Amino acid sequence: MALIIASAGLDDEDFLAAFGSCALPPSSFRHDDHLRLAWLQLQRNPLDEALKLVRNGIQKFAAHNGVPDIFHETVTTAWVRLLSTHRESNFAEFIAMNEYRLNQALLHRFWTPSLLNSEEARRGWVPPDREALPN
């Protein structure tokens, strides 16, 4: 299934500003926009700082929009760590090269669905139970 980047009409700086100020409509922050956020933070910051900015940003955005329970710690951390292993020159190139695998099936390569969907994984980092994430 083709990725749909709902925030594609915004350049990177405007997207980050709208997201950070919670001015971005929730309809413009779908899975693919989460990936964009992670990609941009990883381009600007070391992994640990990028993860912190993505985590805190999503939690703030979710709370602001009245849906704090949508945040999933293990899924967020997994995607940031997976994106950190890529070296494409920009987000468009990253999507073009990897679109077919940027879905939940990729995470199920590392986690069983039951563990990934657990409340423990939602609330805190749970290491993969199938295969270690790449470095």
Side-chain angles (χ1 to χ4, degrees):
M1 178 177 237
L3 293 180
I4 299 171
I5 301 167
S7 63
L10 299 173
D11 69 26
D12 292 343
E13 297 309 317
D14 289 342
F15 166 69
L16 289 174
F19 174 77
S21 68
C22 296
L24 189 71
S27 62
S28 293
F29 194 62
R30 301 162 44 108
H31 168 69
D32 312 331
D33 304 282
H34 283 72
L35 298 177
R36 181 183 186 192
L37 173 66
W39 178 269
L40 292 172
Q41 292 298 358
L42 286 163
Q43 299 310 300
R44 292 163 168 74
N45 301 285
L47 173 58
D48 289 342
E49 181 65 17
L51 177 56
K52 178 181 170 186
L53 290 166
V54 170
R55 176 190 295 123
N56 292 345
I58 294 172
Q59 289 173 330
K60 176 184 169 189
F61 188 83
H64 176 82
N65 287 290
V67 288
D69 289 340
I70 66 166
F71 178 76
H72 191 297
E73 177 66 36
T74 300
V75 168
T76 298
T77 300
W79 281 116
V80 173
R81 290 185 55 194
L82 287 167
L83 267 65
S84 76
T85 67
H86 286 267
R87 300 294 174 246
E88 291 85 0
S89 62
N90 58 56
F91 187 65
E93 181 184 348
F94 167 75
I95 293 297
M97 300 291 293
N98 300 285
E99 180 174 14
Y100 69 96
R101 53 179 136 191
L102 299 174
N103 56 51
Q104 195 168 21
L106 178 61
L107 297 184
H108 290 164
R109 176 177 151 197
F110 303 98
W111 285 269
T112 54
S114 60
L115 180 59
L116 192 59
N117 294 327
S118 71
E119 192 61 29
E120 177 186 11
R122 174 174 294 287
R123 299 285 175 222
W125 168 249
V126 174
D129 61 339
R130 285 190 165 160
E131 181 180 331
L133 290 173
N135 290 323

